[in-house]
Amino acid sequence: MRSIYSRLIFIITCAFLLNCSNKNYVIYNSIKGTVVSSLDNKPIKYARIYVNKYSSNNFDTITTNIEGHFFIDGLELARKYLHYQSNLSYDYFIEKQGYKKKKIIIKNLKETVNNKLDTINLGEIYLEPDK
C-alpha cells in the first residue's frame, strides 16, 4: 500500500514540475499608439520607432502607417530565458524629420495581471515641430 502512495506522489510531482517548466512568462507587453503633430493634431505617417540596439528587446525600427498608428509585439519566454529580462530597454524613441525626437518610458505603465500578455495603449503621442 505504501508503494502505491509513493508512486502516486512521484507521478503528481513529476506532472507538476513538467507543467511549471512549460509555462511562459511575459518579458514585455505589446505596445500600440498613434503619433500626432502637436501643431495641427494630424497623424504623422512614417515616424520611426525603436529601442536601444543593445537591449534584449531590440527590434527592427518600425514606422507608423499613413494614419500614424503603430504596433509592437510583446514577448513571452519560458522560465529558463528569464535572464533576458535583465537587459530590457523601457525607453522607446519616436522620431520624424522636422520634429523633435521623443522618448517614451513604458516601465510601470501597466502591470501584467496573472502574467498575461496584454497590450499597452499609449493613445496619441504628440511630436513637437523642430524649430
Side-chain angles (χ1 to χ4, degrees), residues 6-92:
S6 296
R7 287 182 186 168
L8 185 59
I9 290 172
F10 177 75
I11 291 170
I12 291 172
T13 303
C14 287
F16 176 75
L17 291 175
L18 286 174
N19 190 27
C20 288
S21 65
N22 291 331
K23 183 175 181 178
N24 283 340
Y25 295 85
V26 174
I27 302 300
Y28 57 91
N29 285 306
S30 300
I31 300 170
K32 70 178 182 177
T34 305
V35 180
V36 178
S37 171
S38 66
L39 188 63
D40 57 12
N41 289 330
K42 290 186 178 179
I44 299 175
K45 58 184 176 181
Y46 311 126
R48 297 175 353 113
I49 301 155
Y50 58 93
V51 295
N52 181 323
K53 68 180 179 179
Y54 299 111
S55 64
S56 59
N57 61 326
N58 182 28
F59 52 86
D60 290 336
T61 299
I62 65 166
T63 57
T64 57
N65 64 16
I66 59 173
E67 296 159 345
H69 301 301
F70 68 90
F71 182 83
I72 302 167
D73 281 325
L75 179 65
E76 289 180 296
L77 291 176
R79 180 178 175 80
K80 66 182 179 179
Y81 299 113
L82 285 181
H83 63 279
Y84 287 122
Q85 196 169 20
S86 65
N87 192 28
L88 284 179
S89 174
Y90 296 101
D91 299 339
Y92 285 68

Side-chain angles (χ1 to χ4, degrees), residues 85-102:
Q85 196 169 20
S86 65
N87 192 28
L88 284 179
S89 174
Y90 296 101
D91 299 339
Y92 285 68
F93 298 94
I94 303 172
E95 64 182 29
K96 171 75 176 174
Q97 187 174 1
Y99 293 89
K100 295 178 184 176
K101 183 188 333 185
K102 184 159 195 158

